[in-house]
Amino acid sequence: MLRFLASQILLLTLLTSPSLTQEEARPEPPTPTSSAPSPSAVPHYRARRARFMKSLKPGSLVLLGQQRSKTVPLDKNLTYLTGLDGETAILILYRTASGHGEILFLPNPSPQQVRWEGRPLAPGEAASRRTGIDRTFDLADL
């Protein structure tokens, strides 16, 4: 039931929300040594999200997500708004009459994933520092 509701909200949001222009949808290239944005880039991503949320009507909700995969292309809009490039993540942006907010959901890695793939970005302080999004939660809680 929750998945059905989420898909309906996403469909409604996509139909009613303004899309990013081609200029805005172009993410900054990752640094050669890492796909993580530098700490100095965090205010840049915050400003992008704030500018996008100002374009939304009050009562709007936007869901963006991507799953780490070698075969499925990444969501360029999620990368543009957060700097996350390749991580499994769901970003929720919303605007109310009194303001706006942002929530990021990331999976907690399993011990096997950490062993074979390295430690991915997980919810918490590191994710907040890297993206500039204060509210990060475990994807399992969604």
Side-chain angles (χ1 to χ4, degrees), residues 41-96:
V42 170
H44 186 67
Y45 292 111
R46 275 190 181 142
R48 286 179 175 178
R49 289 190 302 271
R51 189 171 60 239
F52 177 68
M53 284 188 279
K54 283 181 185 177
S55 71
L56 299 174
K57 295 177 184 176
S60 296
L61 175 75
V62 177
L63 297 171
L64 297 171
Q66 69 184 15
Q67 185 170 3
R68 188 179 207 181
S69 171
K70 293 180 180 178
T71 58
V72 177
L74 297 175
D75 184 342
K76 299 287 187 196
N77 293 322
L78 184 67
T79 302
Y80 174 81
L81 293 170
T82 63
L84 297 178
D85 190 21
E87 290 87 356
T88 297
I90 293 178
L91 175 64
I92 299 176
L93 302 171
Y94 60 91
R95 182 159 180 201
T96 64

Side-chain angles (χ1 to χ4, degrees), residues 68 107-122:
R68 188 179 207 181
N108 272 319
S110 68
Q112 293 83 8
Q113 183 181 10
V114 171
R115 180 177 181 179
W116 295 106
E117 298 176 17
R119 183 167 299 280
L121 187 63

Side-chain angles (χ1 to χ4, degrees), residues 66 88-90 104-108 123 136-142:
Q66 69 184 15
T88 297
I90 293 178
L104 181 65
F105 289 90
L106 297 163
N108 272 319
T136 62
F137 298 99
D138 186 355
L139 187 59
D141 294 338
L142 183 62

